[in-house]
């Protein structure tokens, strides 16, 4: 992965992550999740969680409100167990099928990757937003890096 992409991820963590201890996730645990999902998570996302762990970003919402920006805020990146279980649970409760959840906002809406985009190993894939009140999924970025970059531009 290019250093520019990694710099965007590093900047996101430096700008937004709370200072609580984050524990990087092992590559073996990610591989096990990918086997359970029968899918490949994008390399950009794997870089974030293997380098930093589960990022918690409550200040994104405050900044978005202060600036009155029309983007959906991210608050928590899901644990690997939650990626697997919530992806299935949300589908059973009305989310359109074919998505892998990876993060949430403060209202229980989810950010996800489309399963079809994860059938082969890729550096980056589009990010989608599931609005649970409306039960719709819409694309919010053409890439994970681009999705993080929109938050970096706010800082």
């Amino acid at each position: 992965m290019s250093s520019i992409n990694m710099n965007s991820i590093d900047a996101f963590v430096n700008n937004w992550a709370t200072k609580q201890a984050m524990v990087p996730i092992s590559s073996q645990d990610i591989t096990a999740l990918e086997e359970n999902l029968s899918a490949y998570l994008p390399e950009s996302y794997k870089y974030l969680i293997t380098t930093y762990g589960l990022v918690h970003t409550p200040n994104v919402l405050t900044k978005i409100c202060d600036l009155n920006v029309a983007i959906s805020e991210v608050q928590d990146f899901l644990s690997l167990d939650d990626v697997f279980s919530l992806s299935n649970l949300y589908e059973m409760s009305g989310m359109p099928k074919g998505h892998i959840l990876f993060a949430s906002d403060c209202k229980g809406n989810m950010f996800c990757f489309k399963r079809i985009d994860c059938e082969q190993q890729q550096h980056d894939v589009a990010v989608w937003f599931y609005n649970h009140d409306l039960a719709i999924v819409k694309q919010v970025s053409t890439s994970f890096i681009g999705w993080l970059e929109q938050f970096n531009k706010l800082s």
Side-chain angles (χ1 to χ4, degrees), residues 10-27:
D10 297 339
F12 174 79
V13 173
N14 290 331
N15 290 335
W16 299 111
T18 57
K19 299 308 175 213
Q20 67 192 33
M22 293 181 285
V23 179
I25 294 172
S26 77
S27 296

Side-chain angles (χ1 to χ4, degrees), residues 102 111-114 117 124-129 138-151:
F102 68 86
F111 295 94
C112 51
F113 304 120
K114 279 207 180 272
D117 293 341
D124 211 343
V125 298
V127 173
W128 298 77
F129 180 73
K138 67 175 184 178
Q139 187 173 334
V140 290
S141 179
T142 57
S143 69
F144 182 73
I145 296 292
W147 180 68
L148 294 178
E149 273 297 314
Q150 72 178 343
F151 301 113

